[in-house]
């Protein structure tokens, strides 16, 4: 039996712990710091790497890292030096996510399909470039900005304001000391995630996120308001194209450049005219994508995590998936992604339903009550024979959950219905 320490406190980490706990080879599953839905919570924050290492060593845990912040701070390097088993990329390999400028250069020099771009650290030069191009632009801050450092612009004046916001007003601090001006691509977005041991990469199931706060993909970008899996946006032909030309090309190029990538590699893809363009890489699982993906995963996740650490992925069969669809609808507190209330009691969580599971994110448990403790509060995740069934099961379950400021989109999965025939 092996004990697991899951680092993080979101819906993604709850789903990873839930899936790992189903393995007959797993003993205890600890969560640091976890949330109101996870059990065996350990009161250590994700950036307290030394304390996490001490705990993992005392309890003889294999550590699974959910979020990008500890990965880019070098948690994997530090655990590995101490001889502790940990799943995820090194600090160098996590640069695929932690520096968008580095990732764009990496893609360009290795022939990985991505939108045209230029890099600037000077606002005057960046504005002159905006005036010189005849296409719409997306302005991106270089470093980690909690999903907020990307501004999709409809016209030149929006691009100029975005440049001011990042380079002049320094709204993202040092994460915005460099910017990318990138061609805006009009297409359909999907998420393609793989698991790698540095040499081999196996696909996880495909999925599609819903990044905007309001129905119809309107309003501000968020961390993600819901996701479903699989997505028909990525058919078999496109999946093969992405697997070879994005994922395998990235894994072999990272190895060649001396920073082999182990862990979950997430490619945010824009599909235009049947061709994939990489919008971003994440060096981790997606959230909320992780919830429907874990619900569909038939294989034992532990086997793949261990093989990723040991470099033996190619000895395992491809991962097997339930043929059904799964959908996760995020329940947030009204006001997210800006200001929102906390500490409201959530009711209706005890209802049992064989087709759904409620993953917790921004919740905490106090005196037997579950209270809201973040913007994205719950990820209600359901399975069904068709995408429509999964959607109905998720919203059916949501109807039984309540708190004063509960908010969710009412159209999660709807845009998939046209594709998932
Ligand atoms: P990123 O964090 O780079 O994935 O960007 C956040 C969101 O901005 C993406 O999910 C897309 O919706 C949008 N986006 C980023 N880059 C582009 C692009 N080149 N063209 C169109 N939309 C983009
Ligand atoms: N759902 C998008 C992300 O995890 O970055």
């Amino acid at each position: 039996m092996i004990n697991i320490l899951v680092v993080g406190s979101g819906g993604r980490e709850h789903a990873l712990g839930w899936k790992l706990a189903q393995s007959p080879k797993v003993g205890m599953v600890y969560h640091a710091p976890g949330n109101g839905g996870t059990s065996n919570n350990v009161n250590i924050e994700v950036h307290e790497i030394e304390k996490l290492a001490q705990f993992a060593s005392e309890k003889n845990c294999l550590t699974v890292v959910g979020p990008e912040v500890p990965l880019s701070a070098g948690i994997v390097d530090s655990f590995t030096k101490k001889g502790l088993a940990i799943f995820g990329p090194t600090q160098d390999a996590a640069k695929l996510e932690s520096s968008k400028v580095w990732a764009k250069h990496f893609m360009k020099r290795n022939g990985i399909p991505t939108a045209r771009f230029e890099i600037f650290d000077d606002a005057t030069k960046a504005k002159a470039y905006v005036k010189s191009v005849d296409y719409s632009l997306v302005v991106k801050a270089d470093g980690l900005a909690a999903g907020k450092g990307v501004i999709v612009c409809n016209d030149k004046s929006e691009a100029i304001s975005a440049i001011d916001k990042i380079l002049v007003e320094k709204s993202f601090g040092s994460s915005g000391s460099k910017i990318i001006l990138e061609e805006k691509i009009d297409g359909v977005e999907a998420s393609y995630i793989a698991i790698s041991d540095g040499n081999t990469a196996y696909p996880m199931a495909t999925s599609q996120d819903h990044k905007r706060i309001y129905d119809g993909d309107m309003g501000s970008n968020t961390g993600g308001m819901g996701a479903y899996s699989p997505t028909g946006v990525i058919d078999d032909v496109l999946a093969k194209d992405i697997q070879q030309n994005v994922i395998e090309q990235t894994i072999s190029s990272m190895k060649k450049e001396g920073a082999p990538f182990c862990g979950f590699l997430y490619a945010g893809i824009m599909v235009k005219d049947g061709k994939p363009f990489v919008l971003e890489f994440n060096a981790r699982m997606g959230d909320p994508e992780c919830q429907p993906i874990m619900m569909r995963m038939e294989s034992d996740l532990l086997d793949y995590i261990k093989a990723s650490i040991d470099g033996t992925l190619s000895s395992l069969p491809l991962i097997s998936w339930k043929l059904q669809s799964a959908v996760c609808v995020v329940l947030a507190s009204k006001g997210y992604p800006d200001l929102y209330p906390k500490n409201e009691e959530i009711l209706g969580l005890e209802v049992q339903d064989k087709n759904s599971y409620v993953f917790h994110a921004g919740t905490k448990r106090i005196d037997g009550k579950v209270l809201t403790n973040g913007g994205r509060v719950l990820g209600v995740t359901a399975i069904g024979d068709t995408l429509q069934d999964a959607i109905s099961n998720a919203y059916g379950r949501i109807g039984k959950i309540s708190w004063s400021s509960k908010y969710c989109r009412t159209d999660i999965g709807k845009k998939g219905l046209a594709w998932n025939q």
Side-chain angles (χ1 to χ4, degrees), residues 307-370:
S308 161
I309 297 173
D310 297 341
T312 54
L313 205 51
S314 64
S315 67
L316 295 182
L318 286 175
I319 299 169
S320 59
W321 303 99
K322 293 192 173 112
L323 293 177
Q324 293 161 295
S325 283
V327 60
C328 167
V329 179
V330 170
L331 301 189
S333 278
K334 253 177 232 152
Y336 172 77
D338 301 314
L339 293 178
Y340 49 82
K342 281 189 185 177
N343 297 311
E344 293 180 349
E345 186 178 0
I346 307 172
L347 301 173
L349 290 170
E350 65 290 344
V351 177
Q352 295 293 325
D353 168 8
K354 68 178 178 18
N355 291 318
S356 68
Y357 194 87
V358 180
F359 293 112
H360 288 229
T363 69
K364 63 183 172 190
R365 201 175 280 269
I366 293 194
D367 300 333
K369 291 181 178 171
V370 179

Side-chain angles (χ1 to χ4, degrees), residues 4-7 11-17 19-20 62-68 71-72 76 86-90 93-98 191-205 207 243 246-247 250-251 254 259-268 280-287 289-291 293-295 297 299-309 313 319 321:
I4 302 284
L5 172 62
V6 180
V7 175
R12 168 182 50 211
E13 288 78 20
H14 190 178
L16 290 170
K19 176 66 186 165
L20 284 164
L62 182 162
T63 301
V64 176
V65 187
E68 61 277 20
L71 291 170
S72 66
V76 170
I86 185 162
F87 173 68
T90 60
K95 269 206 301 211
L96 276 176
E97 173 166 8
S98 63
S191 307
Y192 192 100
I193 302 168
I195 184 168
S196 178
D197 64 359
N199 286 301
T200 303
Y202 281 179
M204 304 297 290
S207 57
Q243 178 66 23
V246 174
I247 300 295
T250 300
I251 295 301
M254 290 296 283
F261 188 99
C262 301
F264 289 122
L265 175 63
Y266 169 132
E280 64 163 345
F281 280 120
N282 293 320
R284 53 171 174 82
M285 252 289 169
D287 192 357
E289 289 94 325
C290 187
Q291 288 91 308
I293 291 176
M294 287 302 119
M295 197 164 258
M297 188 169 182
S299 311
D300 186 335
L301 176 59
L302 179 71
D303 292 342
Y304 289 83
I305 284 184
K306 278 182 71 181
S308 161
I309 297 173
L313 205 51
I319 299 169
W321 303 99

Side-chain angles (χ1 to χ4, degrees), residues 100 104 115 138 140 147 150-152 182-186 189 211-212 221 268 270 279-280 282:
K100 284 182 186 287
K104 288 296 280 191
V138 180
K140 300 186 175 184
V150 173
I151 304 171
V152 181
E182 174 174 312
E183 180 180 9
K184 180 175 163 189
I185 300 185
D186 288 314
E189 260 183 276
K211 289 187 195 268
R212 303 298 184 107
N221 257 326
M270 185 72 89
L279 298 182
E280 64 163 345
N282 293 320

